[in-house]
Amino acid sequence: LAITESEEKLIAAAASIGGPRLINNQIPYNLIERGPEIEVLPQADAEKIAITCYRPLMAGALTDRYTAGEPPPADSRAVRDQRLPRWQEEHAKGIAHLKALAKGHGVPSTYIAIAWLCAQRGLSCPITGISRLSQLQENLGAFDFTLTADALTGLNAAFDTEPREVS
């Protein structure tokens, strides 16, 4: 059985009533949305539940497509999604660190964001949304990129690390 966005208490309750074993939980998780670190990821690790995460690039906030304070490209989702400017403002320090780290490695920011996810314990697969072939090609390149322990520590410090859900 696979589910989406279920909290630890619901997963435990579902297990107590029997039925098929839960093998996957799909959740929003990225450098900004860290709420699952409180209960969901530890439980998944303990119970061998695969975690598939969506929104790994935070609707583009963790990519090079958008720059805080500049209007988004006319053909982008940011034109319709008003959360992006707020996320860019609230997490400007972390996003700037992510972009500087990417520039220092000569890779797109997506590599850093996806590599950070792949380094998290219990995560089995990030789901990357694409609207162009070039996005798929860029995202695939990220899976061949590995961050050092120091880079991971720096990213965690640059973003507000208090795990929480983001609206």
Side-chain angles (χ1 to χ4, degrees), residues 108-149:
S109 295
T110 54
Y111 279 37
I112 304 299
I114 291 172
W116 178 88
L117 274 171
C118 290
Q120 304 310 301
R121 186 175 179 159
L123 179 74
S124 57
C125 179
I127 300 170
T128 60
I130 59 165
S131 57
R132 296 183 311 281
L133 180 60
S134 61
Q135 290 173 320
L136 174 62
Q137 292 166 327
E138 184 173 296
N139 291 346
L140 289 174
F143 292 95
D144 292 326
F145 185 80
T146 303
L147 291 167
T148 66

Side-chain angles (χ1 to χ4, degrees), residues 30-33 55-68 72 76-78 81-99 109-110 113 135 159 166:
N30 53 61
L31 277 160
I32 295 172
E33 292 179 292
R55 208 166 38 227
L57 303 174
M58 197 65 174
L62 301 175
T63 71
D64 296 319
R65 183 151 168 89
Y66 308 109
T67 302
S76 71
R77 90 170 59 197
D81 191 340
Q82 296 304 307
R83 298 172 299 175
L84 189 62
R86 180 171 48 90
W87 291 337
Q88 287 178 309
E89 182 180 327
E90 290 174 2
H91 303 285
K93 176 184 169 194
I95 292 170
H97 180 83
L98 173 120
K99 289 184 176 192
S109 295
T110 54
Q135 290 173 320
F159 283 87
V166 176

